[in-house]
């Protein structure tokens, strides 16, 4: 793993934290109470996944497709969880967890997807 790869991952991590604190997850549909938390936790998980993948397999191509599939699944989870949670007037705790963990997974998969693309392009 090169220093350029670590630098790209760290810069993307700072960008994700900044956008989380500025309210992007909340603007996209995350609950206002935990929108920042889901963005920060998810980006750290995504960074760990990308670094682990790079240490194990030495390339960034495989995680790109896994992150894309995970992003689609997490998006469905968050949207359906939000709809069910709102329809139950905040009484369906399971739907609330799908909404919350769906947003963490969205952040993690989006971070992994963007990091793998950036590393494949600029990490050489």
């Amino acid at each position: 793993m090169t220093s350029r790869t670590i630098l790209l991952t760290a810069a993307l991590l700072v960008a994700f934290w900044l956008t989380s604190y500025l309210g992007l997850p909340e603007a996209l549909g995350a609950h206002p109470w935990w929108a920042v938390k889901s963005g920060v936790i998810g980006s750290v998980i995504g960074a760990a996944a990308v670094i682990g993948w790079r240490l194990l397999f030495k390339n960034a191509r495989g995680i790109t497709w896994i992150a894309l599939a995970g992003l689609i699944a997490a998006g469905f989870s968050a949207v359906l969880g939000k709809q069910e949670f709102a329809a139950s007037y905040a009484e369906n705790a399971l739907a609330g967890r799908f909404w919350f963990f769906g947003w963490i997974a969205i952040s993690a998969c989006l971070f992994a997807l963007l990091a793998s693309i950036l590393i494949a392009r600029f990490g050489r």
Side-chain angles (χ1 to χ4, degrees), residues 36-120:
V36 173
K37 184 186 299 186
S38 67
V40 170
I41 292 171
S43 62
V44 170
I45 293 170
V50 167
I51 290 171
W53 185 274
R54 293 285 295 177
L55 289 174
L56 288 174
F57 299 111
K58 307 289 187 225
N59 66 2
R61 291 194 179 126
I63 198 167
T64 305
W65 296 106
I66 294 170
L68 183 62
L71 184 62
I72 293 168
F76 280 123
S77 172
V79 167
L80 295 177
K82 179 181 179 178
Q83 289 175 351
E84 184 62 33
F85 187 73
S88 71
Y89 297 103
E91 290 189 10
N92 189 343
L94 181 63
R97 288 181 187 263
F98 269 94
W99 187 17
F100 175 62
F101 290 120
W103 270 99
I104 291 175
I106 285 172
S107 296
C109 292
L110 184 61
F111 184 93
L113 180 67
L114 292 176
S116 65
I117 291 170
L118 285 174
I119 290 169

Side-chain angles (χ1 to χ4, degrees), residues 9-50:
T9 305
L12 190 60
L13 194 61
V14 169
F16 261 72
W17 289 351
L18 184 62
T19 57
S20 292
Y21 283 115
L22 292 177
L24 183 64
E26 183 180 348
L28 293 175
H31 195 282
W33 284 355
W34 41 256
V36 173
K37 184 186 299 186
S38 67
V40 170
I41 292 171
S43 62
V44 170
I45 293 170
V50 167

